[in-house]
């Protein structure tokens, strides 16, 4: 309660700042001054623009300007090569001093610097408000791989999950809306990430939220309405076709048909879908053609030199595709309030506050409809039983009807069978519903102190943050009865002679609570910064920092921690030649004492080639920078994927003994006694894995800054990944029964990655159209440089030296044509029963037997992203009309058609792919093995027969925006009014486009069409 009260006070303070409207005097004054640099030199050509009157003037050669404005209003002052400044107008204004640099600052590790001072290799950034002006999105990282090289889905430079920081604190990117974001920085190289410690070893994405700016209060409102349209549904056979094919499968297995010709005919005729079911889960009978999404945001910002504020209030609501029963009420809603306040307490101390509250509610049904759609055969049962087919004088059936609590539309009972007493249809109509509730509260505060009075150039910064998140599911779980109709035929008409009821209707009214989850993050950091210059051309800076965070999760004993100290030393000569050194000292409780401290030294040297004299008059090169970075990062990432549970992950270095699941040995008569057994051996030298890397980055601007480019080459090795490798120890170190092992965890495996990322943007005004086109991407390769693996008989079986994401399997050689081909071919009995129409495999080692020893490397799976991936964005602005398009693509990876849609055997539901099955008549054209009602183990295994290329190009976004002319808005309370229409996920170009757009056992992939309005007041 204490924390909640504190939060409410903070939100109230933020709201008060946000709603403050400074009274503007109507008195006109002459506002005049001189614009100077820090050395007192006049700045000619500075632009002074009034925020209120939208008038402007420029400074003369002495830096002087004069303009008539309302007293107390704000003016913006900007000049090339200097940082912009907002000033409140007064009659007697002193000299105005501008700091050198640009308005564009970039957030890097524990610092924010001018964009020209970013020297750590592998650092990229985007200013999201510029993108949102032409590409409205609802997810903070959506489509950014078209703007930033090296980013591919959930990976940076082909490594695992990156660390996401929101305003410096580990947070989920879903907790911040795109409209709330000012900048996103991507830290990829070792020098760029080293100060963030062990958990940042696979990259960092730093999201900076918006802050208030000095000036008149701004109110920004955005409203959107959109609809999701399914791209494609899986295609399954109808009842008649399924029964025909299933009979064929049984015939292939030497069994008699299960379904009669009469049954198949009646199902095909469609005369009575209740007696002869033919259920299509994806039909309009059960699904909406589209479902909607609505959202709105309100942003308020402003302030003065003493206090600046920013507030965002947002809401969205999304419907659902399922359109019957309780599912008609399915929805997802989110409401959030974010506020940031910056305070200047005095000349040397400033503070910042940030708070965010998210209220998330969802409602759904107590069943997995989409799983049922992919697994329940169409003829299995009728979802509804029609009462109209039951004679009124059928007393037994009428009693059941009258006692039913769940009659749908006054006409139907819930259908089912003895084996389908619970099913998705009945559950959605009568099984109750569930609601998901999530509450998240985030708070952070920082203090900045200028310690010039102690030592010139010395500053101190500290930040504290605390986040809470809770979630739970409430449900009403009702019991229900289902009915199986026993059909007769009377005088040529179908009638229900009797009903069989399974289960009962019951609702206890009890609200069940399940899935409760609680998370807490606590963060703290502090740092001293020192900057100085000597001999005019030499600049030195240093940073000493310490920080850490802990995340607590309900049900998990150990907290996830990241603690480290950091030292940064930076030197440059004439702002052309740079040297940067970082040293981080990290700590992890996952290792034994003596191994819990790790070191992460990194260094960067950089050369601002564009500042050399030989480029002074260049008409081609405007800016050119080269940097080389190298270093070693100590990390405990990856341990979470090793142990059986969270507790064991902290004791991988110890002997582990257990009696919990020990074998039953008894050394005396009477009750059996569980033995104590070893599960792992001890290794007190177990330590951090090391990311060793060198990267070379080249950035620049060409042809009057019309072309901007960034590229980075990287080569790294993750050395000493932790494994428990039985092949490195004698056989007696582990036994199958009793289940016992003395094998320790060790640092052994090495993973190599090498690649290059790139992004290039071209901006040009041609005629009256402003064009901008950008291309970003990454190409990389991986190698399992060192592996603990058994000594295979054949060289091609070794995983060492192959890609990390390698797909391994058999190579196929068509189908067996007949029994003679099976007899004369290699023996495949080890794979299962073989018959004509089954897949034939290549005997790689020539031993006449097909088994696991014939498995070979087949291709890259793209676990960490496809080898080549990227995106393209294009925008064209003509007067007040803007067109934007974004496309993404990938190439070089493969996947397996190994889900239930393709691997069909036994009693599985048949998809449309079985139409191309092998039969003696289709032997020359078949693309699918023979059908079987058995396991089909020979066919349904990893092989190149099921492989397909995941190469694709996606038209991810198209948006058209229109700004109403200022002449139209003149005299209204709108400063700007923008209307836009967009479409997302519009088109996939691929040799497997149909498969790429399918989602099996889940809701369908969708296109999204949106119309929105953005107004600035």
């Amino acid at each position: 309660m204490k924390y909640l009260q504190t939060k409410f006070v903070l939100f109230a303070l933020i709201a008060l700042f946000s709603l403050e409207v400074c009274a503007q005097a109507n008195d006109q004054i002459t506002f005049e001054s001189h614009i100077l640099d820090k050395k007192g030199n006049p700045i000619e050509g500075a632009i002074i623009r009034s925020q209120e009157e939208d008038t402007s003037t420029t400074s003369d050669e002495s830096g002087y300007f004069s303009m008539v404005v309302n007293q107390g209003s704000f003016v913006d002052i900007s000049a090339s090569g200097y940082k912009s400044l907002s000033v409140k107008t007064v009659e007697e204004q002193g000299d105005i001093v501008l700091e050198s640099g640009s308005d564009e600052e970039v957030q890097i590790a524990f610092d924010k610097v001018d964009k020209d001072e970013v020297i750590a290799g592998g650092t990229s950034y985007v200013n999201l408000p510029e993108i949102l002006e032409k590409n409205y999105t609802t997810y903070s990282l959506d489509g950014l791989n078209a703007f930033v090289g090296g980013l591919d889905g959930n990976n940076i430079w082909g490594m695992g999950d990156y660390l996401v920081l929101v305003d410096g604190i580990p947070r989920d990117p879903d907790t911040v809306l795109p409209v709330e974001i000012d900048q996103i920085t991507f830290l990829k190289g070792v020098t760029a990430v080293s100060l963030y410690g062990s958990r940042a070893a696979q990259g960092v994405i730093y999201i900076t939220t918006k802050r208030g700016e000095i000036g008149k209060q701004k109110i920004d409102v955005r409203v959107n309405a959109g609809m999701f349209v399914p791209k494609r549904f899986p295609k399954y056979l109808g009842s008649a076709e399924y029964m025909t094919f299933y009979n064929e499968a049984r015939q292939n297995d030497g069994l008699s048909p299960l379904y009669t010709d009469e049954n198949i005919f009646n199902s095909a005729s469609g005369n009575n879908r209740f007696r002869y079911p033919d259920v299509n889960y994806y039909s309009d009978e059960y699904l909406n053609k589209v479902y909607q999404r609505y959202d709105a945001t309100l942003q308020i910002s402003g302030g003065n030199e003493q206090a600046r504020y920013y507030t965002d209030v947002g809401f969205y609501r999304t419907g659902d595709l399922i359109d019957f029963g309780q599912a008609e009420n399915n929805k997802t809603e989110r409401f959030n309030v974010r506020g940031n306040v910056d305070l200047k307490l005095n000349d040397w101390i400033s503070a910042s506050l940030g708070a965010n509250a998210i209220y998330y509610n969802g409602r759904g049904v107590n069943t997995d409809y989409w799983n049922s759609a992919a697994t329940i055969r169409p003829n299995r049962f009728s979802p509804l039983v029609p009462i109209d087919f039951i004679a009124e004088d059928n007393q037994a059936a009428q009693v059941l009807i009258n006692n039913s609590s769940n009659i749908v539309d006054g006409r139907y009972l819930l259908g089912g069978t003895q084996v389908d007493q619970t099913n998705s249809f009945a559950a959605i109509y009568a099984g109750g519903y569930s609601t998901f509730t999530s509450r998240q509260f985030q708070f952070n505060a920082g203090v900045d102190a200028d310690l010039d009075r102690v030592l010139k150039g010395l500053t101190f910064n500290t930040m504290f943050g605390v986040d809470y998140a809770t979630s739970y599911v409430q449900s009403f779980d009702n019991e229900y009865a289902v009915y199986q109709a026993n059909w007769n035929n009377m005088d040529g008409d179908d009638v229900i002679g009797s009903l069989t009821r399974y289960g009962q209707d019951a609702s206890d009214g009890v609200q069940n609570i399940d899935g409760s989850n609680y998370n807490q993050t606590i963060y703290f950091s502090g740092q001293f910064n020192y900057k100085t210059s000597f001999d005019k051309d030499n600049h030195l800076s240093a940073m000493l920092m310490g920080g850490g965070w802990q995340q607590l999760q309900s049900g998990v004993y150990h907290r996830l921690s990241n603690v480290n100290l950091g030292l940064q030393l930076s030197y440059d000569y004439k702002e052309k030649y740079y040297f940067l050194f970082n040293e981080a000292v990290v700590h992890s409780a996952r290792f034994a004492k003596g191994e819990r401290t790790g070191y992460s030294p990194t260094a960067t040297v950089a050369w601002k080639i564009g500042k050399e004299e030989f480029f002074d008059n260049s008409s081609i090169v405007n800016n050119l920078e080269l940097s080389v970075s190298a270093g070693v990062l100590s990390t405990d990432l990856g341990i979470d994927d090793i142990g059986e549970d969270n507790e064991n992950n902290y004791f991988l270095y110890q002997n582990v003994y257990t009696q919990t699941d020990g074998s039953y040995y008894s050394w005396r008569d009477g009750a059996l006694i569980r033995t104590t057994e070893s599960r792992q051996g001890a290794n007190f030298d177990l330590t951090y894995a090391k990311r060793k890397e060198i990267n070379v980055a080249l950035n620049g601007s060409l042809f009057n800054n019309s072309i901007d480019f960034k590229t980075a080459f990287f080569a790294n090795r993750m050395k000493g990944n932790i494994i428990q490798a039985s092949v490195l120890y004698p056989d007696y170190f582990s036994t199958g029964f009793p289940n016992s092992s003395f094998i320790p965890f060790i640092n052994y495996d090495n993973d190599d990655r090498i690649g290059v990322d790139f992004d290039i943007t071209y901006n040009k005004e041609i005629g009256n159209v402003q064009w901008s086109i950008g291309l970003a991407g990454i190409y990389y390769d991986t190698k399992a440089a060192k592996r603990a693996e058994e000594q295979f008989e054949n060289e091609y079986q070794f995983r060492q030296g192959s890609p990390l994401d390698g797909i391994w399997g058999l190579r196929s050689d068509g189908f067996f044509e007949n029994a003679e081909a099976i007899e004369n071919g290699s023996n495949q009995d080890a794979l299962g029963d073989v018959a004509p129409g089954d897949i034939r495999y290549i005997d790689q080692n020539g031993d006449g037997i097909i088994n696991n020893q014939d498995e070979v490397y087949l291709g890259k799976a793209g676990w960490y992203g496809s080898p080549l991936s990227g995106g393209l964005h294009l925008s064209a602005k003509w007067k007040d009309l803007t067109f934007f398009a974004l496309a993404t693509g990938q190439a070089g990876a493969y996947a397996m058609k190994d889900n239930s849609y393709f691997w069909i055997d036994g009693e599985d539901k048949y998809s449309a792919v079985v139409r191309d099955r092998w039969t003696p008549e289709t032997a020359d054209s078949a693309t699918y093995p023979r059908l079987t009602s058995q396991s089909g183990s020979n066919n349904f295994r990893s092989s190149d027969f099921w492989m397909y290329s995941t190469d694709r190009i996606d038209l991810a976004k198209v948006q058209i925006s229109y700004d109403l002319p200022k002449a139209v808005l003149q005299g209204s309370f709108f400063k700007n009014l923008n209307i836009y229409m967009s479409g997302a996920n519009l088109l996939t170009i691929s040799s497997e486009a149909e498969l790429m757009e399918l989602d099996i056992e889940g809701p369908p992939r969708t296109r999204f069409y949106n119309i929105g309005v953005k107004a600035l007041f």
Side-chain angles (χ1 to χ4, degrees):
M1 179 61 69
K2 176 176 66 177
Y3 292 118
L4 289 176
Q5 290 174 347
T6 303
K7 288 184 177 64
F8 282 124
V9 171
L10 288 169
F11 278 120
L13 288 172
I14 292 170
L16 287 173
F17 274 114
S18 301
L19 294 176
E20 175 190 2
V21 180
C22 301
Q24 302 291 331
N26 291 322
D27 296 336
Q28 296 274 300
I29 63 170
T30 299
F31 180 60
E32 56 183 349
S33 180
H34 287 84
I35 310 295
L36 309 175
D37 63 18
K38 272 194 168 183
K39 297 178 181 178
N41 299 318
I43 300 176
E44 182 181 1
I47 300 173
I48 303 91
R49 182 181 299 277
S50 170
Q51 291 185 5
E52 189 170 298
E53 290 85 9
D54 198 23
T55 58
S56 63
T57 187
T58 58
S59 59
D60 61 19
E61 60 183 9
S62 66
Y64 175 79
F65 74 91
S66 175
M67 64 188 308
V68 177
V69 296
N70 286 334
Q71 184 174 1
S73 63
F74 285 91
V75 296
D76 296 327
I77 303 172
S78 60
S80 178
Y82 296 89
K83 296 182 179 180
S84 298
L85 184 68
S86 293
V87 177
K88 190 174 183 179
T89 58
V90 293
E91 283 195 87
E92 297 182 4
Q93 172 68 49
D95 293 338
I96 298 173
V97 178
L98 298 183
E99 294 184 11
S100 60
S102 69
D103 287 333
E104 199 165 339
E105 291 188 322
V106 180
Q107 178 68 55
I108 58 175
F110 296 99
D111 199 6
K112 181 171 279 192
V113 300
D114 187 281
K115 67 174 184 177
D116 295 328
E117 299 301 313
V118 179
I119 63 172
T123 301
S124 301
Y125 71 97
V126 294
N127 294 320
L128 207 59
E130 297 177 5
I131 297 176
L132 289 183
E133 284 297 316
K134 52 192 176 184
N135 177 31
Y136 176 69
T137 63
T138 57
Y139 174 58
S140 55
L141 303 179
D142 185 31
L144 294 185
N145 57 330
F147 295 87
V148 177
L151 177 67
D152 183 5
N154 294 323
N155 301 283
I156 290 177
W157 281 4
M159 295 177 287
D161 292 340
Y162 42 69
L163 174 67
V164 177
L165 303 174
V166 179
D167 291 332
I169 298 174
R171 289 168 175 161
D172 193 294
D174 283 327
T175 63
V176 55
L177 297 175
V179 295
E180 300 170 337
I181 297 173
D182 182 49
Q183 186 181 85
I184 304 179
T185 309
F186 300 84
L187 305 175
K188 299 170 282 188
V190 285
T191 303
V193 303
S194 60
L195 293 180
Y196 283 119
S198 172
R199 310 301 294 184
Q202 294 175 344
V204 174
I205 293 181
Y206 193 114
I207 298 176
T208 304
T209 61
K210 292 179 179 177
R211 320 292 300 187
E213 297 179 351
I214 296 175
K216 188 177 179 181
Q217 185 180 76
K218 298 178 181 178
I219 300 176
D220 188 319
V221 177
R222 189 188 290 265
V223 179
N224 292 275
M227 61 182 180
F228 293 93
V229 181
K231 281 186 172 184
R232 197 182 299 270
F233 292 113
K235 298 177 182 178
Y236 290 99
L237 303 188
S239 293
E241 194 174 11
Y242 164 75
M243 290 186 285
T244 302
F245 279 40
Y246 186 74
N247 282 346
E248 179 184 313
R250 289 177 60 86
Q251 183 179 355
N252 289 339
D253 299 327
L255 304 174
S256 60
L258 180 65
Y259 300 105
T260 66
D261 291 341
E262 180 184 4
N263 199 347
I264 295 173
F265 174 80
N266 287 326
S267 295
S269 70
N271 292 330
N272 187 347
R273 291 300 186 205
F274 300 106
R275 183 173 185 177
Y276 303 100
D278 189 10
V279 182
N280 180 3
Y281 282 73
Y282 303 100
S283 72
D284 295 346
E285 186 176 358
Y286 307 114
L287 302 181
N288 287 309
K289 291 184 177 180
V290 301
Y291 63 99
Q292 290 76 34
R293 185 188 195 279
Y294 306 98
D295 70 74
T297 57
L298 167 66
Q299 299 178 83
I300 306 173
S301 64
N304 51 39
E305 293 182 359
Q306 281 68 47
R308 295 176 286 116
Y309 58 87
Y310 168 82
T311 297
D312 175 71
V313 180
F315 174 81
Y316 79 70
R317 186 183 193 277
T318 303
D320 195 87
L321 201 61
I322 307 175
D323 187 34
F324 67 95
Q326 289 285 351
E328 291 179 344
N329 300 315
N330 287 2
K331 63 180 179 180
T332 300
E333 295 178 337
R334 182 187 191 271
F335 174 78
N336 76 284
V337 180
R338 178 183 295 276
N340 291 327
V341 174
D342 296 282
L343 304 170
K344 184 178 180 181
L345 303 180
N346 54 42
D347 289 340
W348 63 284
I349 296 180
S350 59
S352 62
L353 299 172
N356 185 32
I358 302 172
Y359 303 86
Y360 183 97
N361 299 299
R363 173 169 170 151
V365 290
N366 298 330
T367 187
D368 187 345
Y369 180 84
W370 301 110
N371 178 266
S372 297
T375 55
I376 304 300
R377 299 185 300 276
N379 65 322
R380 186 154 166 171
F381 66 90
S382 172
L384 300 174
V385 176
I387 297 174
D388 294 346
F389 283 73
I390 301 173
E392 293 184 2
D393 59 355
N394 188 334
Q395 296 183 3
Q398 291 298 334
V399 169
L400 293 176
I401 294 170
N402 293 331
N403 289 331
S404 174
S405 301
N406 299 301
I407 297 180
V408 179
D409 297 335
R411 300 177 55 196
Y412 304 103
L413 296 171
L414 300 177
T417 66
Q418 187 174 9
V419 295
D420 298 298
Q421 296 183 37
T422 58
N423 62 75
S424 289
F425 291 106
I428 291 176
Y429 278 117
Y433 65 93
S434 60
T435 60
F436 174 75
T437 301
S438 172
R439 300 289 182 262
Q440 299 181 60
F441 300 97
Q442 301 172 343
F443 170 74
N444 48 268
V447 175
D448 299 332
D450 187 343
L451 302 180
D452 258 6
R453 61 192 65 193
V454 178
L455 177 65
K456 185 174 178 58
L458 182 66
T459 60
F460 174 76
N461 311 92
T462 186
M463 178 179 284
F464 169 77
V466 58
D467 295 352
Y468 298 97
T470 62
S471 62
Y472 55 91
V473 176
Q474 302 176 86
S475 64
F476 291 95
D477 301 315
N478 300 332
E479 296 182 34
Y480 52 84
V482 297
Y483 300 84
Q484 183 173 5
N486 302 303
W487 291 87
N488 296 319
N489 190 281
M490 295 183 62
D491 299 328
D493 294 325
D494 290 333
V495 296
I496 298 175
S498 62
L499 294 172
T500 302
R501 185 180 71 179
Y502 299 102
Q504 60 181 355
D505 296 325
S507 177
D508 56 16
V510 174
Q511 189 177 53
N512 302 295
I513 305 295
D514 192 18
S516 297
N517 192 43
Y518 170 80
N519 293 276
Q520 179 195 68
T521 299
I522 297 177
Y523 172 91
F524 177 79
S525 69
Q527 65 190 80
F528 285 96
N529 309 288
Y530 176 69
K531 293 183 179 181
T532 188
S533 300
F534 52 92
D535 295 337
K536 183 181 178 181
D537 294 327
N538 296 277
H539 309 94
L540 179 68
S541 65
M543 178 197 302
L544 179 64
M545 57 76 58
W549 48 269
Q550 279 193 336
Q551 290 181 332
L552 178 150
Q553 184 175 353
S554 55
V556 178
Y557 179 77
H558 284 279
R559 302 186 182 201
L560 181 63
S561 301
N562 186 80
V563 182
N564 63 286
L565 298 173
L567 172 67
Q568 182 179 89
L569 300 174
S570 177
Y571 167 79
D572 76 78
Y573 177 67
K574 291 186 175 181
E575 296 182 342
K576 286 196 294 188
Y577 312 106
Y578 291 79
F579 175 75
L580 175 66
F581 173 78
N582 289 343
E583 174 68 86
V585 182
V586 300
H587 174 83
S588 176
R590 297 172 184 253
F591 305 113
K593 291 181 179 179
E595 298 292 339
R596 293 180 176 175
T597 300
Y599 300 92
S600 300
T602 65
T604 296
V605 291
W607 178 22
K608 302 278 188 178
I609 308 173
K611 292 187 177 181
E612 296 291 354
E613 292 182 0
F614 50 79
F615 278 131
D616 281 350
N617 299 314
S618 174
S619 61
I620 298 176
V621 177
N622 306 112
N623 181 40
L624 193 63
E625 306 169 14
L626 175 67
S627 68
V628 180
S629 302
V632 180
L633 302 181
S634 296
T635 178
D636 62 357
L637 287 175
I639 290 181
D640 290 333
D641 301 326
I642 297 174
E644 296 179 357
D645 55 47
N646 178 268
E647 184 174 353
N648 284 345
N649 289 341
Y650 283 79
F651 302 100
L652 297 181
Y653 59 88
Q654 289 187 348
N655 289 107
V656 173
Y657 297 93
T658 181
Q659 288 181 319
T660 303
D661 56 350
S663 305
Y664 284 100
Y665 280 169
S666 182
W667 299 102
R668 64 179 177 81
D669 294 335
L672 295 175
I673 300 173
R674 282 189 181 274
T675 54
T676 300
E677 295 173 355
S678 174
R679 286 292 181 266
Q680 70 185 42
N683 176 16
F684 294 101
D685 294 325
L686 190 71
T687 189
Y688 295 89
K690 304 289 195 302
R691 173 184 168 185
K692 298 184 175 182
E693 178 177 283
I694 182 169
N695 64 70
V696 181
L698 183 67
N699 309 328
S701 300
L702 308 174
F703 301 107
N704 294 321
N705 297 310
S706 63
I707 297 177
D708 293 316
F709 68 90
K710 288 178 178 288
T711 184
F713 165 82
F714 62 91
N716 66 49
R717 166 168 289 184
M718 194 67 76
K719 180 179 176 61
N721 290 316
I722 297 173
I723 62 169
Q724 189 180 28
S726 60
V727 298
L728 300 179
Y729 296 87
D731 291 343
Y732 54 78
F733 267 57
S734 62
T735 59
F737 186 84
N739 181 14
S740 183
S741 174
F742 289 91
I743 299 173
F745 285 94
I746 60 173
N747 298 97
Y748 193 86
D749 284 1
N750 296 339
D751 298 341
D752 288 356
R753 294 174 175 85
I754 186 170
V756 60
D757 74 13
F758 54 90
D759 65 75
I760 181 169
T761 304
Y762 176 70
N763 298 287
K764 184 72 173 178
E765 184 170 355
I766 303 175
N768 295 324
V769 181
Q770 298 175 7
W771 293 90
S772 178
I773 183 170
L775 176 68
I778 178 175
Y779 177 79
Y780 75 102
D781 195 11
T782 65
K783 183 173 71 173
K786 184 181 179 182
R787 284 295 182 270
E789 51 188 336
E790 61 182 280
Q791 294 303 307
F792 294 107
E793 294 182 9
N794 309 293
E795 188 68 27
Y796 60 78
Q797 293 180 269
F798 287 94
R799 271 55 173 173
Q800 183 168 308
S802 64
L804 298 176
D805 56 349
I807 300 174
W808 293 77
L810 299 171
R811 289 204 177 275
S812 60
D813 186 22
F815 302 114
F816 286 111
E817 301 88 352
N818 47 47
E820 182 180 357
I822 297 173
E823 183 68 25
N824 295 333
S826 299
N827 190 316
Q828 296 187 185
D829 290 347
L831 310 182
D833 295 334
V834 181
D838 284 335
I839 300 173
R840 175 170 45 205
Y841 300 106
I842 296 175
D843 184 5
Q844 298 289 343
N845 57 10
D847 64 357
I849 300 173
I850 304 296
N851 52 26
N852 292 340
Q853 294 183 22
D854 296 296
E855 292 185 347
V856 297
Y857 168 75
L858 300 176
K860 297 179 180 180
W863 295 343
Y864 307 101
S866 294
L868 175 64
S869 65
L872 174 74
H873 63 88
L874 168 72
S875 64
K877 182 176 176 61
W878 177 70
K879 295 184 178 180
D880 297 315
L881 187 67
T882 302
F883 172 82
F884 175 84
L886 186 148
T888 60
Q890 63 182 46
Y894 298 86
M896 283 279 181
K897 299 176 182 179
D898 57 0
N899 55 40
S900 63
Y901 196 73
F902 296 97
W903 286 10
I904 303 168
D905 57 25
E907 304 297 314
D908 292 345
K909 189 172 186 176
Y910 281 20
S911 68
V913 299
V914 302
R915 290 173 178 155
D916 297 320
R917 76 227 178 273
W918 184 96
T919 67
E921 294 74 26
T922 64
D924 294 333
S925 60
T927 58
Y928 192 85
R930 71 178 179 99
L931 300 181
T932 178
S933 61
Q934 306 302 310
S935 67
S937 59
N938 177 85
N939 299 325
F940 305 127
R941 60 177 56 247
S942 180
S943 76
D944 63 350
F945 182 88
W946 302 105
M947 282 184 63
Y948 66 95
S949 170
T950 58
D951 295 357
R952 63 189 296 171
I953 296 175
D954 293 289
L955 181 57
K957 190 68 173 289
V958 171
Q959 179 169 311
I960 297 174
S961 309
Y962 180 69
D963 290 299
L964 266 69
K966 290 186 178 180
V968 175
L969 301 177
Q970 191 172 7
S972 70
F973 48 84
F974 293 109
K975 288 186 177 179
N976 177 266
L977 187 62
N978 177 268
I979 302 172
Y980 52 92
M981 296 182 294
S982 64
N985 305 319
L986 297 174
L987 176 66
T988 297
I989 302 173
S990 170
S991 60
E992 295 284 351
E994 181 175 347
L995 178 56
M996 299 287 190
E997 293 182 340
L998 273 184
D999 199 325
I1000 311 299
E1001 299 185 17
R1005 304 180 192 275
T1006 58
R1007 295 180 176 88
F1008 180 62
Y1009 301 97
N1010 182 74
I1011 184 169
V1013 177
K1014 177 179 178 290
L1016 179 64
F1017 301 91

